[in-house]
Amino acid sequence: MKIVVTGITGYVGAALAPHLLYAGHEVVALVRSMPARPVVGVDYIAVGEYTQVTDWAPYLQGVGAVIHLAAVAHQNADAATYTRMNIDVTRALLAGAQAAHVGQFVFMSSIKVLGEETPAGQPFTRNSTPNPQDAYGRSKLAAEELVRESGIPHVILRPPLVYGAQVKGNLQALQRLIQKRVPLPLASIHNKRSMVNVERLAAMLVESIHAPQLRNGTWLVADAHDYSTPEIVQMLGRSIGVHPILLPCPPIMLQILCAAIGKQHIYQRLCGNLQVDAHETIAALAKSGAVL
C-alpha cells in the first residue's frame, strides 16, 4: 500500500519509517525540506512550510492511507501557533485526503486531550470524558473532531509520554541531569505514570492501517507496566550507562518548592499520577491476530 506520512523526521516518525518499509508498504514522506539523513526506501517530497492553505490533494493521489504525525507540541508555543499547526493544517490535509479519495486517515493525538492527571488506580479509559488543561491538549481535541467529521475512515491514537532510544523533550532534559550526575531529590516519590515505547507506538501505527476492528475508533496506547518517577530515572540512567543519584525528599517539600518558583506543572509531572488503560486496544488488535 502507498502510505503518506507527515512528521516523519520527528521522534515517532523516525521510528515508524522502518516498520512501514518492513511491512512492505511504499512510504512517501511530505516534509518541509529534505532531511540531512534520509531513510533508504522512503520517497521524500519537500512541500515547504505546512500551512492551512496548502493544497495537499496532488500529493495524495493513489494513496491508500495517510498517517498524520506532524504537530507542534512544545510548551512555549502560543495558542495561535497550536491552532494554526495542529488544527488548521489538519483541516487542510483532510480536505486534500477527501479530494484524493484516500482510503484511511490515521491521526496521532495525545492523552493530554483527557487531562493531565488521574487519581491513583483510576486510569483514563476510552470512555473518559475529554478535559484538556492547556492549549496543546485543546488543539489536539479539536483536530480529533475534524478527523471524525471528515467522513474518511480513520483511526485516532492517544498515547501518553513516548520514550525509547534518543529520548526527546522532558525525558531528554532529565537524562542530561542524570548524565551530569546531578543529585535528584526524587527517591521518595511513589506515583504511577503510563508511558509507551516509541517502537511499540510505531508498531501500533502500522497495525492501525490493517486492523478493521480499530476503524473509525479512538484508541489509547500504552505499555503494560506503569512507572514511578524513580523507575523512570533508573531506566534513563541505564540507557546511558550512568547510575543516577537519587535522594529522599518528602513530596510536600517538592510541591512547596515548585509553587515558590511558579512551576507547579513540574511537581505534577514528577509526583502526580497519569495512568492509561489500553486493554480495549490490545483486545481489539488481538482479534486481528496482532500482538503488541
Side-chain angles (χ1 to χ4, degrees):
M1 182 189 299
K2 185 178 181 180
I3 298 176
V4 161
V5 182
T6 70
I8 205 167
T9 58
Y11 187 53
V12 175
L16 173 63
H19 283 261
L20 288 172
L21 293 170
Y22 182 78
H25 295 294
E26 178 186 352
V27 182
V28 178
L30 302 183
V31 295
R32 293 175 176 84
S33 58
M34 295 302 292
R37 296 181 179 179
V39 176
V40 175
V42 174
D43 181 15
Y44 294 87
I45 301 177
V47 299
E49 288 299 316
Y50 294 179
T51 74
Q52 63 269 37
V53 296
T54 300
D55 181 8
W56 298 98
Y59 305 112
L60 303 180
Q61 299 300 319
V63 170
V66 170
I67 300 179
H68 185 32
L69 305 179
V72 170
H74 49 81
Q75 297 174 12
N76 59 352
D78 56 27
T81 299
Y82 287 127
T83 297
R84 184 175 67 255
M85 295 303 300
N86 296 353
I87 301 175
D88 295 341
V89 168
T90 300
R91 181 185 290 109
L93 186 61
L94 286 165
Q98 289 171 319
H101 304 290
V102 170
Q104 189 169 6
F105 196 96
V106 179
F107 179 66
M108 179 66 75
S109 186
S110 167
I111 200 64
K112 287 170 73 70
V113 305
L114 297 180
E116 299 286 344
E117 192 169 3
T118 58
Q122 299 180 40
F124 286 132
T125 70
R126 286 188 71 210
N127 297 321
S128 296
T129 301
N131 185 30
Q133 298 296 302
D134 60 12
Y136 170 70
R138 289 188 288 272
S139 72
K140 296 301 276 187
L141 180 59
E144 285 187 7
E145 290 302 320
L146 292 174
V147 174
R148 296 187 190 97
E149 293 167 0
S150 70
I152 303 172
H154 63 269
V155 175
I156 298 171
L157 299 182
R158 292 173 172 171
L161 188 64
V162 182
Y163 73 96
Q166 298 179 328
V167 291
K168 302 294 183 181
N170 292 332
L171 290 181
Q172 184 181 49
L174 186 56
Q175 191 175 65
R176 286 171 179 165
L177 294 176
I178 296 168
Q179 193 163 30
K180 294 177 180 178
R181 300 186 182 276
V182 174
L184 301 172
L186 306 175
S188 302
I189 299 173
H190 303 290
N191 60 344
K192 292 293 182 183
R193 299 192 72 85
S194 295
M195 300 198 301
V196 62
N197 184 274
V198 68
E199 297 295 335
R200 181 184 180 90
L201 181 56
M204 176 70 185
L205 284 162
V206 176
E207 291 299 332
S208 296
I209 300 166
H210 303 293
Q213 288 81 4
L214 301 184
R215 188 68 55 87
N216 295 330
T218 301
W219 303 91
L220 309 186
V221 55
D223 288 352
H225 174 72
D226 291 336
Y227 305 85
S228 68
T229 296
E231 286 177 321
I232 293 171
V233 171
Q234 295 285 3
M235 180 172 62
L236 291 172
R238 285 194 297 272
S239 70
I240 56 175
V242 175
H243 184 71
I245 303 173
L246 284 167
L247 303 178
C249 178
I252 187 63
M253 296 301 297
L254 294 174
Q255 185 176 19
I256 292 171
L257 175 61
C258 290
I261 61 175
K263 301 289 186 181
Q264 293 91 335
H265 66 282
I266 293 179
Y267 170 79
Q268 186 275 325
R269 288 171 185 165
L270 288 175
C271 300
N273 300 292
L274 198 163
Q275 294 177 273
V276 175
D277 183 350
H279 286 95
E280 287 191 61
T281 308
I282 295 170
L285 284 171
K287 292 179 181 179
S288 299
V291 178
L292 294 182

